[in-house]
């Protein structure tokens, strides 16, 4: 939903000043705010009679956050956006994106410590996502943090205590690939 042009205001910054020359002016209206790389837009909730707010980060196609928005006093229109609400929405959307990045990193980089051959080993599985040929790298590090072995494995290799211990005890040989994953190498 597009806000009326009559309720929009632009920041009164001088666009020719050096610090503001490359930044677009902030846009503030009752239902649309654009500031500091973020856009907050109040939209009609398609599921019911209420309103929702979406937060978009500049350059992204999908919103980082979509949530319910408060009705105004007339119980028909949404409450207008304000600076405090915008700041809270930016903080919340930033935290959501941070959690998504942490989860994506955790999915691609796994690490565990095992005891094998009378020593402690740090074993890491780093998945390299690729549209055509994804793969993973299995690495072992000794107690001093020195890399002792590294092999390339399929991206669906299941790293666990049993598979890591078997790999180390087997002399760091590349595990034989079964038709689906590794038989005997997953937990």
């Amino acid at each position: 939903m597009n806000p009326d042009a009559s309720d929009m205001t632009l920041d009164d910054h001088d666009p020719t000043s050096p610090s503001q020359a490359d930044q677009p002016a902030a846009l503030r209206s009752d239902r649309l705010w654009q500031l500091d790389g973020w856009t907050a837009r109040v939209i009609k909730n398609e599921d019911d009679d209420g309103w929702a707010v979406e937060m978009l980060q500049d350059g992204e196609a999908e919103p980082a956050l979509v949530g319910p928005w408060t009705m105004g006093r007339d119980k028909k229109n949404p409450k207008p956006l304000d600076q405090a609400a915008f700041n809270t929405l930016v903080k919340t959307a930033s935290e959501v994106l941070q959690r998504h990045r942490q989860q994506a990193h955790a999915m691609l980089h796994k690490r565990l410590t095992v005891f094998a051959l009378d020593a402690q080993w740090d074993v890491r599985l780093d998945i390299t996502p690729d549209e055509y040929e994804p793969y993973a790298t299995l690495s072992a590090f000794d107690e001093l943090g020195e890399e002792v072995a590294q092999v390339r494995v399929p991206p669906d290799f299941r790293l666990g205590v049993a598979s890591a211990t078997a790999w180390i005890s087997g002399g760091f040989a590349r595990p034989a690939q079964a038709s689906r994953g590794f038989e005997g190498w997953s937990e």
Side-chain angles (χ1 to χ4, degrees):
M1 175 173 265
N2 291 337
D4 295 331
S6 62
D7 66 354
M8 287 186 194
T9 60
L10 294 175
D11 271 353
D12 53 5
H13 296 288
D14 178 8
T16 59
S17 68
S19 62
Q20 299 292 324
D22 296 332
Q23 297 179 4
L27 177 69
R28 295 184 175 118
S29 71
D30 287 350
R31 295 187 188 171
L32 178 70
W33 274 50
Q34 290 178 321
L35 181 66
D36 297 331
W38 288 95
T39 300
R41 181 177 297 136
V42 177
I43 56 175
K44 187 75 174 143
N45 189 343
E46 296 174 9
D47 296 335
D48 64 21
D49 294 333
W51 295 89
V53 64
E54 65 179 8
M55 289 297 293
L56 290 145
Q57 192 170 30
D58 286 356
E60 297 295 323
E62 295 292 322
L65 176 71
V66 177
W69 189 245
T70 308
M71 293 286 243
R73 290 182 182 216
D74 65 1
K75 303 296 182 204
K76 293 181 187 175
N77 295 308
K79 177 181 153 188
L81 285 166
D82 59 20
Q83 186 69 51
F86 183 79
N87 290 344
T88 300
L89 289 166
V90 167
K91 182 177 186 281
T92 304
S94 297
E95 290 169 352
V96 167
L97 290 178
Q98 178 65 23
R99 283 192 302 272
H100 284 222
R101 283 189 293 269
Q102 288 171 342
Q103 182 181 13
H105 184 270
M107 296 279 300
L108 298 175
H109 306 282
K110 300 179 192 250
R111 181 179 185 169
L112 59 88
T113 302
V114 297
F115 294 92
L117 304 177
D118 296 325
Q120 179 176 316
W121 301 89
D122 182 29
V123 180
R124 299 177 191 168
L125 180 68
D126 296 302
I127 300 171
T128 303
D130 183 73
E131 187 176 347
Y132 301 105
E133 293 186 35
Y135 66 92
T137 304
L138 185 62
S139 307
F141 296 82
D142 64 15
E143 294 172 336
L144 300 175
E146 298 290 324
E147 186 175 289
V148 175
Q150 184 182 81
V151 295
R152 192 168 170 164
V153 295
D156 60 352
F157 179 80
R158 300 182 92 187
L159 178 63
V161 173
S163 61
T165 302
W167 178 55
I168 294 165
S169 298
F172 305 104
R174 186 167 188 255
Q177 185 175 2
S179 60
R180 174 80 178 123
F182 292 92
E183 292 180 17
W185 284 81
S186 62
E187 291 188 326

